[in-house]
Amino acid sequence: MTRTDLTDAELERYARHVILDEVGEDGQLKLLQSKVLVVGAGGLGSPVLLYLAAAGVGTLGIVDHDVVDTTNLQRQVIHSTDDVGDAKVASAAERIEALNPDITVHEHRQRLNAANAMGLIDGYDLVVDGSDNFAARYLLNDACYFAKKTLVSAALVRFEGQVSVYKTQDGGPCYRCLFPQAPDPDLVPRCDTVGILGSIAGVVGCIQATEVLKEILGIGTGLVGQLLLFDALDMNTRKIKTKRDPNCALCGDNPTITALG
Ligand SMILES: [Zn+2]
C-alpha cells in the first residue's frame, strides 16, 4: 500500500527535511519508501549508511563479507571498538538500528561476485559503490548496467577522492566509459598500503550520500556525466565532464561484454 501521509512521529523526526521546499512531506515519503543497496561497510559505506539511515531511507541493504578490524576504526565510523572481530554487516546494522529504528536493514554477509551480483541488486532502487577494489567496481558497474539501475560510485586514496553517478538507463556513461582498463593491481595504490586520511572518507562518503538523496528526491543537478575530483591537501574540487563512449566494451555500440563474468 502506498502511503500518502507522514505520521506525527515522522513529521517530528524529519522536520528539518520537511521544511525544505525541495523535500517537503512528499519528498520525505519518497525517502521512506526507497530501497538502497550499499556495497561495502567501510570508509565510504560508513558515512553513506549513517546519513541515509538518519535521512529516513526506508530500506538499506549492506553487502560486506568482512569483519571489523582495529585498523578500520580510524575512518570507518559506523563501527565501534567493541565491534572488532564482529561481521561488518552486523555491526553496521546495530548502529543503524540505534540511530533510526524505523529503517529496515538487510544484511548480506557475502563477497560480491559475478554469481550473486544480479540477485543482490535486484529489489533495490539504487546502488552505492563503497567497495575498495577495481574488481568489485567493474562488476557492480556491469551489474547495474544490465539491471538498469543507478550507481553512485566513489573511490578514495591518501588525500584524494572521486565521485560520479552512472545512469546508463538514461544514456549516461558507465564506469568503463571513463576507465576502460582495470589497472595492474600491483600498481594501484590501496588504502592499506599507502594510507588514507580518515576524514577524507567522511567528505567523499557524504558527497555520495548527498547524490543518493538528490537522486531519490529528483532535485538539483546530479553527477551524471560528471566526475567530481576532490583533493584535500589543497582543498580543491573540480568536475570533469564525461560522456558515453560508443566504443565502450559494455555500453558501446558493439559491446563485447554481454554478461557478468
Ligand atoms: Zn560504458
Side-chain angles (χ1 to χ4, degrees), residues 141 145 168 172-178 244-245 248-252:
N141 174 69
Y145 171 76
T168 55
C174 81
Y175 184 76
R176 288 183 189 275
C177 294
L178 279 62
R244 178 179 162 270
D245 177 2
C248 175
L250 179 70
C251 74

Side-chain angles (χ1 to χ4, degrees), residues 213-246:
L213 297 176
K214 283 165 58 188
E215 275 295 320
I216 295 168
L217 294 166
I219 60 171
T221 307
L223 287 172
V224 178
Q226 302 189 85
L227 179 68
L228 180 109
L229 302 172
F230 169 71
D231 177 357
L233 283 183
D234 301 319
M235 208 44 95
N236 269 332
T237 54
R238 65 193 177 104
K239 289 199 279 186
I240 297 172
K241 279 202 164 52
T242 60
K243 58 176 199 282
R244 178 179 162 270
D245 177 2

Side-chain angles (χ1 to χ4, degrees), residues 131-186:
S131 67
D132 62 353
N133 65 86
F134 279 94
R137 218 165 280 152
Y138 283 101
L139 182 57
L140 211 46
N141 174 69
D142 298 356
C144 287
Y145 171 76
F146 291 125
K148 299 181 167 55
K149 304 236 164 150
T150 302
L151 173 64
V152 180
S153 185
L156 301 169
V157 73
R158 287 166 46 82
F159 300 92
E160 292 163 32
Q162 60 180 45
V163 190
S164 194
V165 178
Y166 301 103
K167 212 171 175 178
T168 55
Q169 67 274 26
D170 287 358
C174 81
Y175 184 76
R176 288 183 189 275
C177 294
L178 279 62
F179 306 101
Q181 296 285 334
D184 182 335
D186 295 335

Side-chain angles (χ1 to χ4, degrees), residues 52-128:
L52 295 186
V57 170
T59 303
L60 291 170
I62 315 169
V63 182
D64 205 309
H65 70 283
D66 224 344
V67 296
V68 180
D69 183 85
T70 303
T71 60
N72 299 151
L73 299 174
Q74 162 258 21
R75 65 196 179 285
Q76 301 183 13
V77 295
I78 203 165
H79 310 297
S80 302
T81 306
D82 286 350
D83 300 322
V84 170
D86 295 349
K88 284 189 175 180
V89 288
S91 162
E94 192 184 349
R95 179 77 179 83
I96 291 168
E97 166 72 19
L99 173 63
N100 190 345
D102 298 341
I103 308 300
T104 301
V105 180
H106 298 303
E107 300 174 32
H108 305 286
R109 189 178 177 188
Q110 43 196 303
R111 192 191 289 271
L112 185 81
N113 61 41
N116 66 17
M118 294 305 284
L120 282 170
I121 67 175
D122 189 42
Y124 292 95
D125 307 316
L126 190 148
V127 179
V128 176

